[in-house]
Structure formats: structure tokens, C-alpha cells
Amino acid sequence: MAIKDKGTEQLIKDTAKRIFFAEGKLHSTTQDIANAAGVSRTLLHYYFRSKDQLINIVFKDAMDELGSRLDNVMDADRPFKEKMENLIDVFVTEAMAFPYQETFLITEINSANSVIYNEYKTAKLKSFLKQIESEMVAGNIETMNPIHFMMNLFSLMAYPLVMSPLYKQFFKLSDKAFKNLIIERKKLICKMIFK
Amino acid sequence: MAIKDKGTEQLIKDTAKRIFFAEGKLHSTTQDIANAAGVSRTLLHYYFRSKDQLINIVFKDAMDELGSRLDNVMDADRPFKEKMENLIDVFVTEAMAFPYQETFLITEINSANSVIYNEYKTAKLKSFLKQIESEMVAGNIETMNPIHFMMNLFSLMAYPLVMSPLYKQFFKLSDKAFKNLIIERKKLICKMIFK
DNA sequence: ATAATGTTTTACAAAAATGTCAAACATTAA
DNA sequence: TTAATGTTTGACATTTTTGTAAAACATTAT
């Protein structure tokens, strides 16, 4: 009942997101979600009509959230390097809380018979790619296809968190030690992508 | 019937791996797998007794495969940089064919009540981390915790392929264009991890 | 107070996924 | 050939998961 009273609907959604994005339990049933939320499973149907609907809403939310997170940082009217530092901080912090958000999206896309997911606004992306190119011309970052630059950036931020269960055991790291490594990475990534 | 006659058991396993690792359809049912293999679903029980058993075997195979792939490259008695070039080539090529292998592993680990997965041989890892440190001392690569070095390396190789459905649409890339980018990355990654 | 509306639960129904069994079929060995 | 063994399938049973309906409960407005 604790968090419950911001509304049951929101509670169910948040619980589903926690299970999928934070815990990475992609095979969870409606019963699992209801239990974790401490409500009856029927409520899930009352508010979302079907499991598919709930998944669709969670999916859409995640896509939108991903999009607007990118927007916020790319928009900001600040020097490029500062923007990148900010992006890395925001993104890694979010990824620490919800490491499997993108994994969930990809799995849904791959599993779906036909998913409709949003087109991303081209203008904003193009302008951002241009900025990256300018930085290359200015000699601040290595010259390459700016798409590579973006893929490198996201890879370095996201992948270690996705892999954390394997990395923790492979490198014999405690939760705490692993968390510290990830925090270290914020600066490390910055060093890596700038000359 | 085409690939069928290296034995039905192998066919089923290979089909399961294709569906999970190549297509990323992590929610597939036994029926899905049987259909894709062109056999009756009962055969899957005849050879593997239960879905869980099949999953366990596929899981174990994937873990072993991952382990021995690492071994092969780390063992090789060659100069460090050459070893890394080889590792990147082997790993990226494999990841192009089976981009979701690690995602599958992680999802299984997270979903399982209690998974037993192999301890990795410590000796080999330690010696490899030492080699990385030597390269840092020699000034060939940037100084950092060698675990970061390894995480960087795997991130840069694996993550873009995991994300390909999103990247293709975000960057408006055809399958072919995307594939070319990935091949480009082999050299790019090498440049990034060496000074 | 009570009607109207919204929320939650219980009990049940339906569908989907997994598992079993026995019979049909194929292959090999005696 | 035919018994023995291994493979495959179809029909059925069980379990798991999802979905529905009606009643109980709560809240709000009149």
C-alpha cells in the first residue's frame, strides 16, 4: 500500500517498468506484475484491458522517454563538450536505474508481428550530426562517420550495465565495486570520445 | 528437410539458437521453434524432455561458446595488438550472425529463480588483465583499470548490433548500409582502443 | 440518506502453452 | 524376414496464463 496512492494505474505501470527495465525479467506474467505491485491481477485488466495493451503503453512510454532524453541534451544551447558531459551524466544515471529499457524495446520489436514505433524527428538529428562533424573539423574529436561517434557513445554508456550480471561474476566484482566502476566510466567515456 | 539431416536433435538446437540469438525472439514458444525447424513439437520433447531442458542446453552452449571464444583469442601466443585485431574480427563477425546471444543469456539469468552458470577460469583472465596493464605501461593504450578496457572493447563491438533495429530506423539506414558500418567498425574500434 | 459512479475482489471461463501416450513409421540387426 | 530399436506423429491431458462477469466495497454528488 506504500507507494500505492498515486493511483493504482500508475502503480501498475511503474511496477511493470521496474520489472522489465530495472530487473530485466522480460518473461514476466501479468500475475508477476500484479504480485509485485501488491494488487489483484484483475486490476491490470480493469486499467489496461489486456496484457498487450499494458505492454504497448509501456513500450510507447519507453520510446518517448528515450526520444525526449535525447532531445533535451541535443537541444541545449551550450558548448558541445559540455553538452556531451551532461548527456553522459544523465544517460548513465538513468541506465543505472533502468539498464534493460532498450533491451526490452528491442525484444518487443523483434517479437512483434508488426510494431509501429515512432519516426524520429529528422531535423534535430541532422543538426546534431552536423555539430559532431564541426567538432571533427575543429579537431576536438577523431574524424569518422558521425553515426559511428554516436554509436560509440551509446555503446560505452549502456552495454556494461546490460551485461552487469555476467561482468560481476566474470570479474568477481561486488555490487558496490561494480557501481563504482560505472560511475568512474562517466569521466572515462568523456576522455575516450574527445581527443 | 534441407538442413535437417545432420540429425533432428541438432536441427532443433540450431533452430532454437537461430530464433533466440539471431532473430532475438526471446518470447518464442516450443511451437514456434518446432514450426521454424519444420518438425512436430513432440520431437522437441522426445529429444529434450521439456522446454526448460532445451533452454538450459542452449544456455549452457552459449556460455561455453562465449568462454571458449574468449579463451582462443586470449591464449594465442601473438603480439597483443595482433591478438586484439583478431579478437575484434572474430567477435564482430560472430555478433553479426548472432547479435542477441548475450541478451538471451542475461534475460535468462535475470528471469531464473536460480541459475547455475559456470565460474570462469581465473588464471587466464588474470594473465590477460596483466597483459593489458603491460600495454598501458608500454604506452600503447590509455592508462585505466584494465576492466574498463575490456568493457569498452566489448561494448563497442556488441552494442550497435543489439540495437540495430532501432539504429536502422533512427539513422535511416538500409540493411546493407548498416552492415557496411559494422564492418567499418572493426578497424575503427581498433583505432579507438589503441593510442 | 441514497443514487450514481468508480474501484477492487472473487469466482469462473477461455485460450495458450506445455507435456504425455500410444500408435505409425522407419531403420537396423539377427 | 522379422524382431528389435529408434524416430515421428496425432490425439489427448495438464498446466499456465490470460481474460470476463458479477458482486462487494468505496467514494462522491445530489
Side-chain angles (χ1 to χ4, degrees):
Chain A
M1 305 276 168
I3 333 161
K4 191 164 176 174
D5 286 323
K6 49 178 157 179
T8 307
E9 183 170 356
Q10 194 58 42
L11 169 68
I12 293 172
K13 240 165 72 169
D14 288 349
T15 306
K17 286 177 184 175
R18 196 186 80 222
I19 289 179
F20 290 132
F21 304 165
E23 300 176 12
K25 294 177 179 173
L26 303 190
H27 299 309
S28 297
T29 66
T30 51
Q31 189 68 70
D32 293 334
I33 296 168
N35 287 348
V39 302
S40 152
R41 189 176 57 80
T42 10
L43 278 185
L44 202 143
H45 289 97
Y46 177 70
Y47 286 109
F48 301 97
R49 212 162 66 252
S50 72
K51 186 186 185 182
D52 273 3
Q53 280 303 312
L54 173 59
I55 297 281
N56 284 345
I57 287 172
V58 166
F59 180 88
K60 193 180 176 313
D61 277 14
M63 284 294 285
D64 292 351
E65 214 264 337
L66 188 62
S68 67
R69 227 187 318 154
L70 291 177
D71 279 7
N72 282 341
V73 187
M74 300 195 318
D75 276 350
D77 191 17
R78 307 259 64 209
F80 186 79
K81 185 163 186 177
E82 199 181 315
K83 266 202 312 207
M84 287 301 97
E85 280 164 357
N86 185 31
L87 181 151
I88 292 167
D89 187 48
V90 169
F91 196 99
V92 171
T93 302
E94 174 77 9
M96 285 173 79
F98 299 106
Y100 304 107
Q101 186 162 347
E102 286 82 11
T103 303
F104 170 87
L105 290 174
I106 294 292
T107 302
E108 286 305 310
I109 291 169
N110 286 336
S111 302
N113 305 313
S114 63
V115 197
I116 311 101
Y117 48 103
N118 286 336
E119 291 287 317
Y120 192 76
K121 313 132 200 164
T122 313
K124 211 163 268 185
L125 174 61
K126 280 208 171 156
S127 124
F128 188 65
L129 292 172
K130 284 278 173 218
Q131 284 175 61
I132 295 171
E133 271 174 343
S134 305
E135 293 294 315
M136 289 174 185
V137 172
N140 298 328
I141 57 184
E142 209 66 53
T143 300
M144 65 183 80
N145 185 332
I147 292 178
H148 279 309
F149 179 83
M150 290 188 72
M151 292 200 300
N152 292 341
L153 180 57
F154 291 123
S155 300
L156 293 168
M157 294 190 292
Y159 195 67
L161 284 157
V162 171
M163 292 291 279
S164 85
L166 281 176
Y167 284 171
K168 276 176 195 166
Q169 99 134 25
F170 186 71
F171 295 122
K172 303 215 194 312
L173 296 167
S174 69
D175 287 3
K176 194 169 182 179
F178 185 79
K179 192 182 166 189
N180 284 336
L181 272 185
I182 295 298
I183 290 171
E184 270 177 37
R185 289 187 68 76
K186 291 185 182 178
K187 282 179 188 161
L188 179 64
I189 292 168
C190 215
K191 271 193 227 154
M192 281 194 72
I193 62 172
F194 289 98
K195 265 189 199 167
Chain B
M1 305 280 166
I3 334 164
K4 193 163 175 174
D5 285 327
K6 49 178 158 177
T8 308
E9 182 170 356
Q10 194 59 41
L11 169 68
I12 293 172
K13 241 166 68 170
D14 288 349
T15 306
K17 285 177 185 177
R18 196 187 78 222
I19 289 180
F20 291 132
F21 304 164
E23 300 175 13
K25 295 179 178 172
L26 303 190
H27 300 309
S28 297
T29 66
T30 51
Q31 189 67 68
D32 293 334
I33 296 167
N35 288 347
V39 302
S40 152
R41 191 175 55 78
T42 344
L43 277 186
L44 201 143
H45 289 98
Y46 178 71
Y47 287 110
F48 302 97
R49 212 165 63 254
S50 72
K51 184 186 187 183
D52 272 4
Q53 280 304 311
L54 174 59
I55 297 281
N56 284 345
I57 286 171
V58 167
F59 179 90
K60 193 181 176 313
D61 277 13
M63 284 293 286
D64 292 352
E65 215 266 335
L66 187 62
S68 69
R69 226 185 321 152
L70 291 177
D71 279 9
N72 282 342
V73 188
M74 300 196 317
D75 275 354
D77 192 17
R78 305 258 66 206
F80 186 78
K81 186 163 188 176
E82 200 181 313
K83 264 199 317 203
M84 288 301 97
E85 281 165 357
N86 185 30
L87 181 151
I88 292 167
D89 186 48
V90 169
F91 197 99
V92 171
T93 301
E94 173 77 10
M96 285 173 78
F98 300 105
Y100 305 107
Q101 186 162 347
E102 286 82 10
T103 303
F104 170 87
L105 290 174
I106 293 292
T107 301
E108 285 304 310
I109 291 169
N110 287 335
S111 301
N113 305 312
S114 64
V115 197
I116 311 101
Y117 48 102
N118 285 337
E119 292 286 317
Y120 192 75
K121 313 132 199 166
T122 313
K124 212 163 266 185
L125 174 61
K126 280 206 171 158
S127 123
F128 188 65
L129 291 172
K130 284 279 174 217
Q131 284 175 61
I132 295 172
E133 272 174 343
S134 305
E135 292 296 314
M136 290 174 185
V137 172
N140 297 330
I141 56 184
E142 208 65 54
T143 300
M144 65 182 79
N145 184 332
I147 292 178
H148 279 309
F149 179 84
M150 290 188 72
M151 292 198 302
N152 292 342
L153 180 59
F154 291 122
S155 300
L156 292 167
M157 294 189 293
Y159 195 66
L161 284 158
V162 171
M163 292 290 281
S164 86
L166 282 175
Y167 284 169
K168 277 177 193 164
Q169 99 135 25
F170 186 71
F171 295 121
K172 304 214 194 311
L173 296 167
S174 70
D175 287 2
K176 193 168 182 178
F178 185 79
K179 192 183 167 187
N180 284 337
L181 272 184
I182 294 298
I183 290 170
E184 271 178 36
R185 288 186 70 75
K186 291 185 181 179
K187 280 178 189 160
L188 179 65
I189 292 169
C190 215
K191 270 194 227 152
M192 281 194 72
I193 62 172
F194 289 98
K195 266 191 201 167

